[in-house]
Amino acid sequence: MALPPDLHMHTPLCRHARGEPVDYARRAVELGFTEIGFSDHSPMRQNDFDDWRMRFDQLDEYVENVRKAQSAFPQLTIRLALEVDYLPGQEEWIRELAARHPWDYFIGSVHYVSDTWAVDNPHQLSEWKSRDAWEVWSVYFDRLTMAAETGLFEIIGHADLPKKFGHKPTRDCAPLYERFLNAAKKMNCALDVNTAGLRKDCKEIYPSRQILERAFKKEVPITFGSDAHAPEEVGMNFAEAMKLARGVGYRECTRFVRRRREMIRI
Ligand SMILES: [Zn+2]
Ligand SMILES: [Zn+2]
């Protein structure tokens, strides 16, 4: 079976990935991919916001590095994208970024549930000790819903990221999922079926089967992403991700060309 595009991968400019875009592209060709997309962590307006993204003055270099991979592997379609952090109030900045290059898509991701705490940051793991899991998940899904509602993103990244280290509320999260998925459907956002979770403590694809089942019922489209931070992670566990997606009923996934959606059979 043909592999769907791997639309979520990083580059060393974000300071926690290794291998240049040409190395990811080479790996993708070896695995039989016909399409991939780079979506490195976008810069913030303030370069010292945190230490796990490119600086704003590296944005052009990022685009050049992706272009180099495109020239080196003409048989592979390589999309140009960003994984953009959504925090309330960042909308104007995100519009400025969008205007700077001919992007194929933006993945909107929530990592921050406050101005300073990214729930998936292993260096901030101790924060979880002083927080109630339900409260974190509620704030996270509020922000994810807001991200979808902005209309700034084609894809919403790893929708249940707070499960990364295994922190799950005992309360039923269905109302949080429901609100978020309604916003995603209304604004035409696809869900990133992201295999990185399988490589983390939670040992689960993002998002969970429960979320994907609800998404399928509402006809929310999906994309696939390895969230590769190293060339050998390209396309990792895609067989499992496709099995999950097909298992809940999906027969199509999505790709984006200059921010326009196209459907592909899976
Ligand atoms: Zn990363
Ligand atoms: Zn992310």
Side-chain angles (χ1 to χ4, degrees):
M1 192 183 294
L3 285 161
D6 183 345
L7 295 186
H8 195 149
M9 47 187 73
H10 293 272
T11 85
L13 289 175
C14 71
R15 293 176 271 180
H16 62 280
R18 114 184 110 68
E20 291 302 323
V22 285
D23 304 315
Y24 290 69
R26 187 177 303 110
R27 178 69 181 148
V29 169
E30 279 168 17
L31 291 170
F33 279 92
T34 56
E35 181 167 339
I36 61 171
F38 286 92
S39 54
D40 208 1
H41 298 285
S42 67
M44 293 288 193
R45 200 187 284 281
Q46 315 96 298
N47 281 327
D48 61 354
F49 185 85
D50 59 24
D51 60 358
W52 51 271
R53 64 189 63 255
M54 69 181 87
R55 299 189 313 263
F56 179 51
D57 63 6
Q58 293 174 310
L59 190 64
D60 292 352
E61 184 185 344
Y62 169 63
V63 173
E64 268 167 47
N65 292 344
V66 174
R67 299 286 182 227
K68 272 183 210 154
Q70 287 171 333
S71 325
F73 295 94
Q75 70 274 46
L76 179 67
T77 299
I78 303 180
R79 304 291 176 199
L80 177 67
L82 285 173
E83 179 180 12
V84 179
D85 266 83
Y86 177 74
L87 285 89
Q90 290 286 328
E91 293 81 355
E92 211 33 61
W93 172 241
I94 297 166
R95 278 188 204 100
E96 282 177 42
L97 287 174
R100 293 198 81 88
H101 291 282
W103 309 106
D104 289 305
Y105 56 92
F106 272 5
I107 300 179
S109 291
V110 172
H111 303 101
Y112 282 91
V113 292
S114 73
D115 286 346
T116 52
W117 182 35
V119 288
D120 64 324
N121 189 341
H123 307 295
Q124 296 182 302
L125 192 49
S126 61
E127 279 287 323
W128 277 101
K129 287 194 192 121
S130 53
R131 313 267 179 151
D132 173 60
W134 167 256
E135 199 155 325
V136 176
W137 280 63
S138 301
V139 174
Y140 173 86
F141 272 96
D142 279 353
R143 290 188 168 203
L144 205 66
T145 304
M146 287 165 76
E149 282 169 347
T150 63
L152 295 169
F153 309 115
E154 281 72 28
I155 303 171
I156 295 294
H158 43 59
D160 55 358
L161 182 67
K163 75 181 175 187
K164 177 177 176 181
F165 302 113
H167 303 91
K168 285 185 189 173
T170 46
R171 266 170 78 172
D172 181 17
C173 291
L176 306 180
Y177 303 157
E178 203 55 26
R179 229 160 49 83
F180 159 62
L181 290 171
N182 287 339
K185 174 63 191 167
K186 190 171 124 218
M187 301 308 287
N188 256 324
C189 293
L191 291 190
D192 165 38
V193 178
N194 183 312
T195 60
L198 292 168
R199 313 194 289 274
K200 312 296 181 196
D201 295 345
C202 63
K203 298 272 184 286
E204 261 183 39
I205 286 171
Y206 308 112
S208 65
R209 188 182 182 100
Q210 191 194 350
I211 296 178
L212 268 188
E213 279 170 352
R214 287 173 182 272
F216 178 71
K217 283 199 196 108
K218 294 181 193 289
E219 301 182 319
V220 176
I222 53 168
T223 56
F224 290 92
S226 63
D227 215 337
H229 286 70
E232 65 272 19
E233 291 175 351
V234 171
M236 223 174 211
N237 299 113
F238 262 39
E240 196 168 328
M242 286 167 74
K243 199 173 143 209
L244 172 65
R246 289 184 58 88
V248 308
Y250 282 99
R251 295 294 177 267
E252 285 182 317
C253 72
T254 311
R255 68 163 166 226
F256 294 93
V257 186
R258 292 288 190 97
R259 313 204 76 161
R260 244 195 23 257
R261 179 159 104 184
E262 294 178 4
M263 304 307 284
I264 312 169
R265 301 281 303 167
I266 54 164

